Structures are given as structure tokens and as C-alpha cells.
Amino acid sequence: AVSPHSCTSDQLAAILFSSGSTGPAKGVEYRHGVFAAQVQALQQMFQFEPGQVDMPGFPLFALFSVALGLTCVLPDLQPSRPASAEPTRLIRSILDWQVNNLQGSPAIWEKLGRYCLDYGIELPSVRRVITFGAPISLKFLETWNKLLAGRGEVYTPYGATEVLPISLISGQEVLGDTAEGTRAGKGTCVGRAVPGVQVRILKVYDRPLPEWQEDEFLPPGEVGEIVVSAEQVTWAYHQDAAATEASKIRQGDRIWHRMGDLGYLDEKGRLWIVGR
């Protein structure tokens, strides 16, 4: 018998690269404790149960599916070109395997949702549509609200390679409450911080803040840079001390990550994004 390899939460587990969509891609150091915290956060957010069937549109997230005890069905698509997904192939897999959770780029599920509505196709097993990696439109939410017909919900987690997940909002809350603010130019609401995550708003300036300074942070309602602290916050970029210094704030043994996104907290404690 082979004994499991023992490791500590602070040991390096992987190096994941950021997308490069807002600058040069950087290698983000993932420690074992970060992965463990992510799995725990996802379980608390969605109450996954062993035996449920997951379809991850982004292959890397199949690792989370397995860690959560879910059966994983890999969709028949090209991950680097999600918008090219063929709806009929996805539908066949969802129906054949009775998939409960769809997750991945909105480009995949937007195309699938339109096809299902146009041709009157139902997906009775689906309970969750979890989108990430790009903003979703109100039209997307309306489409899936019709398709799910009260059996399930659309969810949009907010986060980045450096820290994920941070906050969560449901399509129902967007359509019923925050959409009006978005139309009025108040930004995009990404919901409340998930359990274990703290969000603060930092005054906007372009220099490192190595140590925590309370007077540099803003009250609810004021726009600034979003900063986050949680067990799932990564500590450093691989072999890039300058990028690490620019994006991390130390508060004793605690690490805060500067998201580079501008936003504010509303009177209900929800986070809104207004730009980069």
C-alpha cells in the first residue's frame, strides 16, 4: 500500500497563471492551505452533495468537482474557444448523465440557453448554473430564469486567480433588486462576501502599501480599490517580488490582496464594481 504524501498548509502546491487580460500573465503561488480553503468555501456556498453530477466548462475546475465528491462529466468543447461550443452535444451529455451543475464561461451557457429556448428544449436535471471569468448580461439571466423554471438558480461568484471565491450573487437577486442600479450607472453588484472573506475599500493611489494603515480605507458608499482577506488569498507571485509588493498588504500574520478593481460596499453590505 502507498501512504498518502504528508504536507503542510504552507507548502507550495501549484503555480497557476493569471489570464493576462489586465496585464502580463503572472504565476500565482498556490499553497495547499489555499486549495483546502477554496474547497471548503465552495461547499458552504452551494451545499454540494456527493452523487450530484457536475459539468465544468473549464477543465481545471474538474479538480474541484472531484474534491467535492461530485461526479464529473467533461463537456465536448474546446476550452480555449468556449463560444464555439456546439449546443446539441452539450444537451446530449446533460440529458444522458442527468447533470445537476453547469459551471464555466458565460459564453458556453449563453449559447446553450438561447438554443434551448429557441427549440423548446428542457433541462430538468439542472439545478445550478455557475458562471465566472466574464460579466453576464441581464438577458443571460432572463434566459436561464425561464429555462430553470423555479427548479434552480444562476450564480455569479466574483474572484480572481489570486483569490477565489470572494463574493456571490444569484440571478434572482440581480433581476429583482440590483439590475435597476446597474441600469442607472451605479456599477455591477457582485453580491455579499462568502463566509470567511473580508472585503475593504482602499483609497485609490498607485503605490505599494506594504503594511496595514487603517486611515487609508474608505467607509461604505465611497469608491476605491477592492482589497480582500481570507484563507484562500494567495501570498505571492512566483519569482516576482515587485508584483507581490504592489498587490499585497500585510496586517500581522494576515495577508490582504489588492484586486485592482474599483468598487464600493452598499448599505446592505453588498460589493459593487465600477471599473478597473
Short mmCIF file of all heavy atoms in Angstrom, two decimals, residues 92-145:
data_model
loop_
_atom_site.label_atom_id
_atom_site.label_comp_id
_atom_site.label_asym_id
_atom_site.label_seq_id
_atom_site.Cartn_x
_atom_site.Cartn_y
_atom_site.Cartn_z
N ARG A 92 -27.01 16.74 -25.23
CA ARG A 92 -26.99 15.28 -25.19
C ARG A 92 -26.33 14.78 -23.91
O ARG A 92 -26.84 13.88 -23.23
CB ARG A 92 -26.27 14.73 -26.41
CG ARG A 92 -26.35 13.20 -26.55
CD ARG A 92 -25.68 12.72 -27.81
NE ARG A 92 -26.24 13.37 -28.99
CZ ARG A 92 -25.53 14.14 -29.82
NH1 ARG A 92 -24.25 14.38 -29.58
NH2 ARG A 92 -26.10 14.69 -30.87
N SER A 93 -25.19 15.38 -23.55
CA SER A 93 -24.48 14.97 -22.33
C SER A 93 -25.28 15.29 -21.07
O SER A 93 -25.35 14.49 -20.14
CB SER A 93 -23.11 15.64 -22.26
OG SER A 93 -22.26 15.18 -23.28
N ILE A 94 -25.88 16.49 -21.03
CA ILE A 94 -26.67 16.90 -19.86
C ILE A 94 -27.83 15.94 -19.63
O ILE A 94 -28.10 15.51 -18.50
CB ILE A 94 -27.16 18.35 -20.02
CG1 ILE A 94 -25.98 19.32 -19.98
CG2 ILE A 94 -28.18 18.71 -18.94
CD1 ILE A 94 -26.32 20.73 -20.42
N LEU A 95 -28.53 15.58 -20.71
CA LEU A 95 -29.69 14.69 -20.59
C LEU A 95 -29.27 13.26 -20.30
O LEU A 95 -29.87 12.58 -19.45
CB LEU A 95 -30.53 14.76 -21.86
CG LEU A 95 -31.19 16.11 -22.17
CD1 LEU A 95 -31.94 16.04 -23.49
CD2 LEU A 95 -32.12 16.55 -21.05
N ASP A 96 -28.23 12.78 -20.97
CA ASP A 96 -27.79 11.40 -20.78
C ASP A 96 -27.29 11.15 -19.36
O ASP A 96 -27.54 10.09 -18.77
CB ASP A 96 -26.68 11.04 -21.77
CG ASP A 96 -27.19 10.83 -23.18
OD1 ASP A 96 -28.43 10.79 -23.36
OD2 ASP A 96 -26.36 10.73 -24.11
N TRP A 97 -26.55 12.13 -18.80
CA TRP A 97 -25.93 11.94 -17.49
C TRP A 97 -26.67 12.65 -16.37
O TRP A 97 -26.24 12.64 -15.24
CB TRP A 97 -24.47 12.43 -17.54
CG TRP A 97 -23.63 11.62 -18.47
CD1 TRP A 97 -23.25 11.93 -19.75
CD2 TRP A 97 -23.06 10.33 -18.20
NE1 TRP A 97 -22.49 10.93 -20.29
CE2 TRP A 97 -22.35 9.93 -19.35
CE3 TRP A 97 -23.08 9.48 -17.08
CZ2 TRP A 97 -21.68 8.72 -19.44
CZ3 TRP A 97 -22.39 8.27 -17.18
CH2 TRP A 97 -21.71 7.90 -18.33
N GLN A 98 -27.81 13.28 -16.70
CA GLN A 98 -28.63 13.98 -15.69
C GLN A 98 -27.79 14.95 -14.87
O GLN A 98 -27.72 14.90 -13.64
CB GLN A 98 -29.32 12.96 -14.78
CG GLN A 98 -30.39 12.14 -15.48
CD GLN A 98 -31.57 13.01 -15.91
OE1 GLN A 98 -32.36 13.46 -15.08
NE2 GLN A 98 -31.70 13.27 -17.20
N VAL A 99 -27.13 15.85 -15.59
CA VAL A 99 -26.22 16.82 -14.96
C VAL A 99 -27.00 17.80 -14.10
O VAL A 99 -28.03 18.33 -14.52
CB VAL A 99 -25.40 17.57 -16.05
CG1 VAL A 99 -24.59 18.70 -15.43
CG2 VAL A 99 -24.50 16.59 -16.80
N ASN A 100 -26.48 18.05 -12.88
CA ASN A 100 -27.13 18.99 -11.95
C ASN A 100 -26.52 20.38 -11.96
O ASN A 100 -27.21 21.38 -11.76
CB ASN A 100 -27.04 18.45 -10.51
CG ASN A 100 -27.56 17.05 -10.38
OD1 ASN A 100 -26.85 16.15 -9.95
ND2 ASN A 100 -28.82 16.82 -10.74
N ASN A 101 -25.19 20.44 -12.17
CA ASN A 101 -24.47 21.72 -12.07
C ASN A 101 -23.74 22.02 -13.38
O ASN A 101 -22.98 21.17 -13.87
CB ASN A 101 -23.43 21.67 -10.95
CG ASN A 101 -24.00 21.16 -9.65
OD1 ASN A 101 -24.97 21.70 -9.13
ND2 ASN A 101 -23.40 20.10 -9.13
N LEU A 102 -23.94 23.21 -13.91
CA LEU A 102 -23.20 23.70 -15.06
C LEU A 102 -22.30 24.82 -14.57
O LEU A 102 -22.78 25.72 -13.87
CB LEU A 102 -24.13 24.22 -16.15
CG LEU A 102 -25.24 23.28 -16.63
CD1 LEU A 102 -26.12 23.99 -17.65
CD2 LEU A 102 -24.65 22.01 -17.22
N GLN A 103 -21.04 24.78 -14.92
CA GLN A 103 -20.16 25.86 -14.49
C GLN A 103 -19.16 26.20 -15.58
O GLN A 103 -18.78 25.35 -16.38
CB GLN A 103 -19.42 25.48 -13.20
CG GLN A 103 -18.67 24.17 -13.26
CD GLN A 103 -17.64 24.05 -12.17
OE1 GLN A 103 -16.83 24.93 -11.99
NE2 GLN A 103 -17.66 22.94 -11.44
N GLY A 104 -18.75 27.49 -15.63
CA GLY A 104 -17.78 27.90 -16.62
C GLY A 104 -18.11 29.25 -17.23
O GLY A 104 -18.90 30.03 -16.69
N SER A 105 -17.51 29.51 -18.37
CA SER A 105 -17.66 30.80 -19.05
C SER A 105 -19.10 31.06 -19.46
O SER A 105 -19.79 30.16 -19.95
CB SER A 105 -16.77 30.82 -20.30
OG SER A 105 -17.11 31.90 -21.14
N PRO A 106 -19.58 32.31 -19.29
CA PRO A 106 -20.94 32.63 -19.75
C PRO A 106 -21.13 32.38 -21.24
O PRO A 106 -22.26 32.11 -21.68
CB PRO A 106 -21.06 34.13 -19.44
CG PRO A 106 -20.06 34.39 -18.37
CD PRO A 106 -18.92 33.44 -18.62
N ALA A 107 -20.04 32.43 -22.02
CA ALA A 107 -20.16 32.24 -23.47
C ALA A 107 -20.73 30.86 -23.80
O ALA A 107 -21.48 30.70 -24.77
CB ALA A 107 -18.80 32.41 -24.14
N ILE A 108 -20.39 29.85 -22.98
CA ILE A 108 -20.89 28.49 -23.21
C ILE A 108 -22.39 28.42 -22.94
O ILE A 108 -23.19 27.98 -23.76
CB ILE A 108 -20.17 27.48 -22.30
CG1 ILE A 108 -18.66 27.54 -22.52
CG2 ILE A 108 -20.70 26.07 -22.53
CD1 ILE A 108 -17.88 26.75 -21.49
N TRP A 109 -22.77 28.88 -21.75
CA TRP A 109 -24.15 28.70 -21.30
C TRP A 109 -25.10 29.70 -21.95
O TRP A 109 -26.30 29.44 -22.03
CB TRP A 109 -24.20 28.76 -19.78
CG TRP A 109 -23.14 27.91 -19.16
CD1 TRP A 109 -22.19 28.29 -18.25
CD2 TRP A 109 -22.88 26.51 -19.41
NE1 TRP A 109 -21.37 27.25 -17.93
CE2 TRP A 109 -21.77 26.14 -18.63
CE3 TRP A 109 -23.48 25.55 -20.23
CZ2 TRP A 109 -21.25 24.84 -18.64
CZ3 TRP A 109 -22.96 24.26 -20.24
CH2 TRP A 109 -21.87 23.92 -19.46
N GLU A 110 -24.56 30.85 -22.41
CA GLU A 110 -25.40 31.78 -23.14
C GLU A 110 -25.86 31.16 -24.46
O GLU A 110 -27.04 31.22 -24.83
CB GLU A 110 -24.65 33.08 -23.41
CG GLU A 110 -25.49 34.14 -24.10
CD GLU A 110 -24.80 35.48 -24.17
OE1 GLU A 110 -23.55 35.51 -24.08
OE2 GLU A 110 -25.49 36.50 -24.31
N LYS A 111 -24.92 30.54 -25.17
CA LYS A 111 -25.24 29.90 -26.44
C LYS A 111 -26.19 28.72 -26.24
O LYS A 111 -27.17 28.55 -26.97
CB LYS A 111 -23.95 29.42 -27.10
CG LYS A 111 -24.11 28.95 -28.53
CD LYS A 111 -22.75 28.67 -29.15
CE LYS A 111 -22.87 28.28 -30.62
NZ LYS A 111 -21.54 28.02 -31.21
N LEU A 112 -25.93 27.93 -25.19
CA LEU A 112 -26.80 26.79 -24.88
C LEU A 112 -28.19 27.26 -24.50
O LEU A 112 -29.21 26.69 -24.95
CB LEU A 112 -26.19 25.97 -23.75
CG LEU A 112 -27.03 24.81 -23.23
CD1 LEU A 112 -27.21 23.75 -24.31
CD2 LEU A 112 -26.40 24.20 -21.99
N GLY A 113 -28.27 28.29 -23.66
CA GLY A 113 -29.57 28.79 -23.21
C GLY A 113 -30.43 29.30 -24.35
O GLY A 113 -31.64 28.99 -24.43
N ARG A 114 -29.84 30.06 -25.26
CA ARG A 114 -30.59 30.57 -26.42
C ARG A 114 -31.11 29.43 -27.28
O ARG A 114 -32.25 29.45 -27.75
CB ARG A 114 -29.69 31.50 -27.26
CG ARG A 114 -29.38 32.84 -26.64
CD ARG A 114 -28.95 33.84 -27.71
NE ARG A 114 -27.93 33.28 -28.59
CZ ARG A 114 -26.62 33.42 -28.43
NH1 ARG A 114 -26.17 34.10 -27.38
NH2 ARG A 114 -25.76 32.90 -29.29
N TYR A 115 -30.27 28.42 -27.48
CA TYR A 115 -30.66 27.27 -28.31
C TYR A 115 -31.85 26.54 -27.68
O TYR A 115 -32.81 26.18 -28.37
CB TYR A 115 -29.47 26.33 -28.47
CG TYR A 115 -29.69 25.20 -29.45
CD1 TYR A 115 -29.31 25.34 -30.79
CD2 TYR A 115 -30.28 24.00 -29.04
CE1 TYR A 115 -29.52 24.30 -31.69
CE2 TYR A 115 -30.48 22.97 -29.94
CZ TYR A 115 -30.11 23.12 -31.27
OH TYR A 115 -30.32 22.10 -32.16
N CYS A 116 -31.76 26.32 -26.37
CA CYS A 116 -32.85 25.61 -25.69
C CYS A 116 -34.16 26.38 -25.76
O CYS A 116 -35.23 25.79 -25.99
CB CYS A 116 -32.47 25.35 -24.23
SG CYS A 116 -31.19 24.08 -24.02
N LEU A 117 -34.10 27.69 -25.58
CA LEU A 117 -35.32 28.49 -25.68
C LEU A 117 -35.88 28.48 -27.10
O LEU A 117 -37.09 28.34 -27.31
CB LEU A 117 -35.05 29.93 -25.24
CG LEU A 117 -35.09 30.26 -23.75
CD1 LEU A 117 -35.00 31.76 -23.54
CD2 LEU A 117 -36.35 29.72 -23.10
N ASP A 118 -35.00 28.61 -28.09
CA ASP A 118 -35.45 28.67 -29.49
C ASP A 118 -36.14 27.37 -29.91
O ASP A 118 -37.10 27.40 -30.71
CB ASP A 118 -34.26 28.94 -30.41
CG ASP A 118 -33.75 30.36 -30.31
OD1 ASP A 118 -34.47 31.21 -29.73
OD2 ASP A 118 -32.62 30.63 -30.78
N TYR A 119 -35.68 26.24 -29.38
CA TYR A 119 -36.19 24.94 -29.83
C TYR A 119 -37.04 24.23 -28.77
O TYR A 119 -37.38 23.06 -28.93
CB TYR A 119 -35.04 24.04 -30.29
CG TYR A 119 -34.38 24.54 -31.55
CD1 TYR A 119 -33.25 25.35 -31.49
CD2 TYR A 119 -34.91 24.24 -32.81
CE1 TYR A 119 -32.65 25.83 -32.64
CE2 TYR A 119 -34.32 24.71 -33.97
CZ TYR A 119 -33.19 25.52 -33.88
OH TYR A 119 -32.60 26.00 -35.03
N GLY A 120 -37.37 24.93 -27.71
CA GLY A 120 -38.26 24.37 -26.70
C GLY A 120 -37.69 23.17 -25.97
O GLY A 120 -38.44 22.26 -25.60
N ILE A 121 -36.38 23.16 -25.74
CA ILE A 121 -35.72 22.04 -25.07
C ILE A 121 -35.64 22.30 -23.57
O ILE A 121 -35.23 23.38 -23.14
CB ILE A 121 -34.31 21.82 -25.65
CG1 ILE A 121 -34.41 21.45 -27.13
CG2 ILE A 121 -33.56 20.72 -24.88
CD1 ILE A 121 -33.08 21.45 -27.85
N GLU A 122 -36.02 21.33 -22.77
CA GLU A 122 -35.95 21.46 -21.32
C GLU A 122 -34.76 20.68 -20.78
O GLU A 122 -34.36 19.64 -21.33
CB GLU A 122 -37.24 20.93 -20.67
CG GLU A 122 -38.48 21.75 -21.04
CD GLU A 122 -39.72 21.27 -20.32
OE1 GLU A 122 -39.62 20.27 -19.57
OE2 GLU A 122 -40.78 21.90 -20.48
N LEU A 123 -34.21 21.18 -19.67
CA LEU A 123 -33.08 20.53 -18.98
C LEU A 123 -33.49 20.30 -17.53
O LEU A 123 -33.06 21.01 -16.62
CB LEU A 123 -31.83 21.42 -19.06
CG LEU A 123 -31.36 21.82 -20.46
CD1 LEU A 123 -30.23 22.84 -20.38
CD2 LEU A 123 -30.92 20.59 -21.26
N PRO A 124 -34.37 19.32 -17.28
CA PRO A 124 -35.00 19.19 -15.97
C PRO A 124 -34.05 18.83 -14.83
O PRO A 124 -34.38 19.07 -13.67
CB PRO A 124 -36.02 18.07 -16.19
CG PRO A 124 -35.54 17.32 -17.37
CD PRO A 124 -34.87 18.34 -18.24
N SER A 125 -32.87 18.29 -15.12
CA SER A 125 -31.97 17.89 -14.04
C SER A 125 -31.12 19.05 -13.51
O SER A 125 -30.58 18.98 -12.41
CB SER A 125 -31.03 16.78 -14.51
OG SER A 125 -30.18 17.24 -15.56
N VAL A 126 -31.00 20.13 -14.29
CA VAL A 126 -30.09 21.22 -13.92
C VAL A 126 -30.65 22.03 -12.76
O VAL A 126 -31.81 22.45 -12.78
CB VAL A 126 -29.82 22.14 -15.14
CG1 VAL A 126 -28.97 23.34 -14.71
CG2 VAL A 126 -29.13 21.36 -16.25
N ARG A 127 -29.81 22.23 -11.74
CA ARG A 127 -30.20 22.98 -10.55
C ARG A 127 -29.36 24.25 -10.36
O ARG A 127 -29.78 25.18 -9.69
CB ARG A 127 -30.06 22.11 -9.30
CG ARG A 127 -31.00 20.92 -9.26
CD ARG A 127 -32.44 21.38 -9.13
NE ARG A 127 -33.39 20.26 -9.14
CZ ARG A 127 -33.97 19.79 -10.23
NH1 ARG A 127 -33.71 20.33 -11.41
NH2 ARG A 127 -34.82 18.78 -10.16
N ARG A 128 -28.15 24.28 -10.90
CA ARG A 128 -27.28 25.44 -10.74
C ARG A 128 -26.55 25.73 -12.04
O ARG A 128 -26.06 24.82 -12.69
CB ARG A 128 -26.22 25.20 -9.65
CG ARG A 128 -26.75 24.80 -8.29
CD ARG A 128 -25.58 24.52 -7.34
NE ARG A 128 -26.03 23.94 -6.08
CZ ARG A 128 -26.18 22.64 -5.87
NH1 ARG A 128 -25.91 21.79 -6.86
NH2 ARG A 128 -26.57 22.18 -4.70
N VAL A 129 -26.49 27.01 -12.40
CA VAL A 129 -25.63 27.47 -13.49
C VAL A 129 -24.67 28.48 -12.86
O VAL A 129 -25.09 29.56 -12.44
CB VAL A 129 -26.44 28.12 -14.63
CG1 VAL A 129 -25.50 28.59 -15.74
CG2 VAL A 129 -27.48 27.15 -15.17
N ILE A 130 -23.40 28.10 -12.77
CA ILE A 130 -22.41 28.92 -12.07
C ILE A 130 -21.47 29.50 -13.12
O ILE A 130 -20.76 28.76 -13.81
CB ILE A 130 -21.62 28.07 -11.05
CG1 ILE A 130 -22.59 27.41 -10.06
CG2 ILE A 130 -20.61 28.93 -10.31
CD1 ILE A 130 -21.95 26.34 -9.19
N THR A 131 -21.47 30.81 -13.28
CA THR A 131 -20.67 31.44 -14.33
C THR A 131 -19.54 32.26 -13.72
O THR A 131 -19.68 32.85 -12.65
CB THR A 131 -21.54 32.37 -15.20
OG1 THR A 131 -21.92 33.52 -14.43
CG2 THR A 131 -22.78 31.65 -15.68
N PHE A 132 -18.42 32.28 -14.42
CA PHE A 132 -17.27 33.06 -13.96
C PHE A 132 -16.37 33.34 -15.15
O PHE A 132 -16.48 32.73 -16.20
CB PHE A 132 -16.49 32.31 -12.87
CG PHE A 132 -16.19 30.88 -13.19
CD1 PHE A 132 -15.12 30.54 -14.00
CD2 PHE A 132 -16.99 29.86 -12.69
CE1 PHE A 132 -14.84 29.22 -14.30
CE2 PHE A 132 -16.72 28.53 -12.99
CZ PHE A 132 -15.64 28.21 -13.80
N GLY A 133 -15.46 34.30 -14.96
CA GLY A 133 -14.48 34.61 -16.00
C GLY A 133 -14.86 35.78 -16.88
O GLY A 133 -14.02 36.31 -17.60
N ALA A 134 -16.13 36.18 -16.86
CA ALA A 134 -16.59 37.31 -17.68
C ALA A 134 -17.92 37.80 -17.14
O ALA A 134 -18.66 37.03 -16.50
CB ALA A 134 -16.73 36.89 -19.14
N PRO A 135 -18.25 39.07 -17.38
CA PRO A 135 -19.55 39.59 -16.92
C PRO A 135 -20.69 38.88 -17.62
O PRO A 135 -20.56 38.41 -18.76
CB PRO A 135 -19.51 41.08 -17.32
CG PRO A 135 -18.07 41.38 -17.55
CD PRO A 135 -17.43 40.11 -18.04
N ILE A 136 -21.84 38.80 -16.96
CA ILE A 136 -23.03 38.24 -17.59
C ILE A 136 -24.08 39.33 -17.75
O ILE A 136 -24.16 40.25 -16.95
CB ILE A 136 -23.60 37.03 -16.82
CG1 ILE A 136 -24.06 37.45 -15.41
CG2 ILE A 136 -22.59 35.92 -16.75
CD1 ILE A 136 -24.79 36.33 -14.68
N SER A 137 -24.86 39.22 -18.80
CA SER A 137 -25.86 40.24 -19.11
C SER A 137 -27.18 39.93 -18.42
O SER A 137 -27.43 38.79 -17.99
CB SER A 137 -26.08 40.29 -20.63
OG SER A 137 -26.66 39.07 -21.08
N LEU A 138 -28.03 40.93 -18.34
CA LEU A 138 -29.37 40.72 -17.80
C LEU A 138 -30.15 39.78 -18.70
O LEU A 138 -30.97 38.99 -18.23
CB LEU A 138 -30.09 42.06 -17.66
CG LEU A 138 -29.45 43.07 -16.68
CD1 LEU A 138 -30.25 44.36 -16.66
CD2 LEU A 138 -29.37 42.48 -15.28
N LYS A 139 -29.88 39.83 -20.01
CA LYS A 139 -30.54 38.92 -20.96
C LYS A 139 -30.18 37.48 -20.65
O LYS A 139 -31.03 36.58 -20.71
CB LYS A 139 -30.12 39.27 -22.38
CG LYS A 139 -30.78 38.41 -23.46
CD LYS A 139 -32.28 38.65 -23.53
CE LYS A 139 -32.90 37.89 -24.67
NZ LYS A 139 -34.38 38.03 -24.70
N PHE A 140 -28.92 37.22 -20.28
CA PHE A 140 -28.47 35.88 -19.90
C PHE A 140 -29.29 35.39 -18.71
O PHE A 140 -29.78 34.25 -18.70
CB PHE A 140 -26.99 35.93 -19.55
CG PHE A 140 -26.40 34.62 -19.09
CD1 PHE A 140 -25.65 33.83 -19.95
CD2 PHE A 140 -26.56 34.18 -17.78
CE1 PHE A 140 -25.10 32.63 -19.53
CE2 PHE A 140 -26.02 32.98 -17.35
CZ PHE A 140 -25.29 32.20 -18.23
N LEU A 141 -29.44 36.23 -17.71
CA LEU A 141 -30.18 35.85 -16.51
C LEU A 141 -31.65 35.58 -16.83
O LEU A 141 -32.24 34.62 -16.32
CB LEU A 141 -30.06 36.94 -15.45
CG LEU A 141 -28.66 37.16 -14.87
CD1 LEU A 141 -28.67 38.37 -13.94
CD2 LEU A 141 -28.17 35.92 -14.14
N GLU A 142 -32.22 36.41 -17.66
CA GLU A 142 -33.63 36.22 -18.03
C GLU A 142 -33.83 34.90 -18.78
O GLU A 142 -34.81 34.18 -18.55
CB GLU A 142 -34.11 37.40 -18.87
CG GLU A 142 -34.22 38.70 -18.07
CD GLU A 142 -34.35 39.92 -18.96
OE1 GLU A 142 -34.22 39.78 -20.21
OE2 GLU A 142 -34.55 41.03 -18.42
N THR A 143 -32.89 34.57 -19.68
CA THR A 143 -32.97 33.32 -20.44
C THR A 143 -32.96 32.12 -19.51
O THR A 143 -33.81 31.23 -19.60
CB THR A 143 -31.80 33.23 -21.43
OG1 THR A 143 -31.92 34.26 -22.41
CG2 THR A 143 -31.77 31.87 -22.12
N TRP A 144 -31.98 32.08 -18.59
CA TRP A 144 -31.86 30.92 -17.71
C TRP A 144 -32.94 30.89 -16.64
O TRP A 144 -33.32 29.83 -16.16
CB TRP A 144 -30.46 30.85 -17.11
CG TRP A 144 -29.51 30.20 -18.07
CD1 TRP A 144 -28.65 30.81 -18.93
CD2 TRP A 144 -29.40 28.79 -18.32
NE1 TRP A 144 -27.99 29.87 -19.69
CE2 TRP A 144 -28.43 28.63 -19.34
CE3 TRP A 144 -30.02 27.67 -17.79
CZ2 TRP A 144 -28.07 27.37 -19.82
CZ3 TRP A 144 -29.66 26.41 -18.27
CH2 TRP A 144 -28.70 26.27 -19.27
N ASN A 145 -33.47 32.05 -16.29
CA ASN A 145 -34.59 32.09 -15.36
C ASN A 145 -35.80 31.36 -15.95
O ASN A 145 -36.50 30.62 -15.26
CB ASN A 145 -34.94 33.54 -15.03
CG ASN A 145 -35.90 33.66 -13.87
OD1 ASN A 145 -35.75 32.99 -12.85
ND2 ASN A 145 -36.88 34.54 -14.01
#
